[in-house]
Amino acid sequence: MDNYQPVIGLEIHIELKTSSKMFCQCSASYFGKPANTQVCPVCLGMPGALPVANKKAIEWTILIGKALNCQINSFSKFDRKHYFYPDLPKGYQISQYDEPIASHGWVEIAYKDQAKNALTKKIFRIRRVHLEEDTGKLIHSKNGTLIDFNRSGVPLVEIVTEPDFDNSDDVKRFLEELQVIIRYLGVSDADMEKGTMRMEPNISLRYQISKIKNQKLPNYKVEVKNINSFRFVKQAIDYEIKRQIEILKEGKTPLQETRGFDEKKGITYSQRIKEKASDYRYFPEPDIPPLVFTKKYLDSIKVPELPWQKVERYVSLLGIRYEEAFILTRDKNLADYFEKINTKFKTQIANLNLKIQNPSQLIANYIVNKKISSQLPPDEFINKLIENLRPKEVDKNLLEEVINKVLKENQKAVLDYKKGKVNAIMFLVGQVMREMKGKVEAKIVKEEIEKKINKK
Ligand code: ADP
Ligand code: MG
Ligand code: ZN
């Protein structure tokens, strides 16, 4: 990449699945509901309406902060962020400016580096996690633009990373890990198609000649807005890197701006010149008292076992390979399913006196490779598994019949074998296996054929 090193930071929005909205009693589940049916004076921004903060949303933001190894700030407050856009009925968004609920966190990603065949781990810092409200939704049609305010005021968590990334693959891995963490916490579906997880990468390039990492940030950055798939985030970043290198090579500086991503063409396009914080005229929200959290309250919010912790437990305590442990833990339901089977199976094999070297790995293989459907209830899964482990009963009569037929039809191979061409028997075994449709082990077939020919 010549001497240009990408600098990438992320802003991620997560819509919380609380039952009510952030500052009013309206239902927060707006998906598929008729437009403007879940609204009230508060989320429509009527003058005089008073917001009341949603306790659950605050608790869940703290939970996210904890899961991302953040410091939870015992004092926090809401601020008004002003801008004019038709999806924002009040003319300002209630957000958090200088006192976010959580800050100074980090997320570690781990992945198998195929080239080195080694486990690689990297840490990316989280700058802040704050709580705000979502906006309404604009619906563009040929007759004009309509607004649906059902989404207006739905709790929205913004997670901001430090500009620690230098390539789009790490960004994708980080976002995938973050999505799994959020789903484990049960605070959001983090579903990009439904818009409950939205991502904005910020990209710039710094010039670097020596091997020593240049720490100074470039004096510009380009933000790509509202991308709704991990693949598109990667594409948008890669496109921006190429585009910006071209500009820098001409001795110019790319414009600091907000760009959109065209999914069909795989390119970014200019949307608007980026606002500065001062343009938002932030000031403390006067209608909501500041948040003060006691230690007792913060301690009562407990983080469940996280995906990466499960991976570590599976590998170190259950002796499962990293690859399978990773796949099993991407979906908490699948991990729970695996663990249920794992516990039950271990007692069963003790009872049945079965000797299996590494039962956990065996189950992991069966689930990951879909050898048995993971739709089955655990008990049925185990029955199938045990059935598969038992040596197969062979229909002796059928086998004999098939062998007789194959030997008769392949006299030449039989003769060859008798003359000492040992390999000829493998051809006969193959023929029998084909007729038996694989329902018998090759070893048994070979033994039976040998017996027969030697008897003759
Ligand atoms: P803004 O106030 O414009 O939103 P911030 O400083 O809050 O900018 O940063 C927003 C995001 O941009 C963060 O994720 C941060 O890591 C990232 N960022 C900051 N500077 C750069 C840069 N020079 N290049 C790429 N990303 C950057
Ligand atoms: Mg920003
Ligand atoms: Zn409302």
Side-chain angles (χ1 to χ4, degrees), residues 33 59 71 105 152 164 224 231 236 288 315 327 341 372 429:
K33 302 277 167 65
E59 182 191 317
Q71 165 195 320
S152 174
D164 285 349
V224 187
R231 196 165 54 90
I288 304 171
V315 171
I327 296 171
I341 291 178
I372 298 177
V429 171

Side-chain angles (χ1 to χ4, degrees), residues 99-139:
E99 304 272 5
I101 287 181
S103 54
H104 302 94
W106 50 269
V107 170
E108 185 180 66
I109 60 164
Y111 62 95
K112 261 275 159 75
D113 187 327
Q114 296 301 342
K116 293 187 212 148
N117 191 28
L119 197 63
T120 304
K121 290 186 173 183
K122 289 182 184 169
I123 281 186
F124 298 101
R125 289 172 299 160
I126 302 292
R127 181 182 289 177
R128 56 188 280 154
V129 177
H130 75 244
L131 184 54
E132 56 190 34
E133 56 177 338
D134 210 344
T135 59
K137 223 175 188 170
L138 296 181
I139 302 151

Side-chain angles (χ1 to χ4, degrees), residues 7-11 127-128 158-164 200-205 217-223 256 274-277 280:
V7 177
I8 308 161
L10 308 170
E11 290 162 279
R127 181 182 289 177
R128 56 188 280 154
E158 179 168 341
I159 299 164
V160 183
T161 76
E162 293 294 340
D164 285 349
E200 289 152 17
N202 294 265
I203 306 125
S204 67
L205 289 161
L217 284 178
N219 58 357
Y220 77 94
K221 68 180 158 68
V222 172
E223 178 172 354
Q256 168 127 342
K274 180 88 181 132
E275 307 78 359
K276 293 192 297 288
Y280 290 126

Side-chain angles (χ1 to χ4, degrees), residues 21 23-26 38-44 152:
K21 289 188 182 179
F23 300 112
C24 60
Q25 288 303 306
C26 294
Q38 328 232 25
V39 290
C40 73
V42 173
C43 55
L44 284 174
S152 174

Side-chain angles (χ1 to χ4, degrees), residues 232-385:
F232 291 153
V233 172
K234 183 172 154 51
Q235 275 181 19
I237 291 173
D238 292 341
Y239 178 82
E240 269 307 302
I241 292 171
K242 274 205 211 113
R243 188 185 70 85
Q244 292 178 22
I245 286 180
E246 291 307 310
I247 297 170
L248 289 162
K249 274 187 172 166
E250 289 173 16
K252 299 182 199 150
T253 304
L255 220 53
Q256 168 127 342
E257 62 179 345
T258 300
R259 297 175 73 88
F261 180 67
D262 183 324
E263 299 171 4
K264 290 204 187 84
K265 297 193 187 131
I267 63 170
T268 66
Y269 57 89
S270 182
Q271 274 185 330
R272 60 188 150 97
I273 304 303
K274 180 88 181 132
E275 307 78 359
K276 293 192 297 288
S278 57
D279 296 335
Y280 290 126
R281 296 181 295 119
Y282 277 103
F283 68 75
E285 166 61 62
D287 290 337
I288 304 171
L291 308 170
V292 181
F293 306 124
T294 62
K295 185 175 180 302
K296 196 171 155 223
Y297 170 69
L298 293 180
D299 287 346
S300 73
I301 300 169
K302 301 254 189 293
V303 182
E305 186 180 36
L306 293 174
W308 60 271
Q309 292 169 323
K310 265 196 201 299
V311 172
E312 288 190 353
R313 182 163 62 84
Y314 288 7
V315 171
S316 63
L317 291 180
L318 301 179
I320 298 179
R321 285 176 359 127
Y322 177 81
E323 283 84 345
E324 282 81 25
F326 186 81
I327 296 171
L328 287 175
T329 52
R330 292 311 89 189
D331 176 352
K332 182 153 186 307
N333 289 329
L334 190 65
D336 288 346
Y337 181 73
F338 161 76
E339 289 184 29
K340 232 182 233 156
I341 291 178
N342 189 50
T343 315
K344 285 193 170 192
F345 187 58
K346 278 184 180 162
T347 47
Q348 289 236 20
I349 49 180
N351 294 343
L352 290 170
N353 229 341
L354 280 170
K355 287 225 165 52
I356 296 164
Q357 249 200 352
N358 186 343
S360 301
Q361 179 70 52
L362 181 77
I363 299 166
N365 291 344
Y366 265 77
I367 295 179
V368 169
N369 302 323
K370 299 189 168 62
K371 281 198 228 169
I372 298 177
S373 163
S374 52
Q375 303 297 322
L376 290 179
D379 286 325
E380 285 179 42
F381 187 101
I382 291 173
N383 288 343
K384 271 234 152 97
L385 182 59

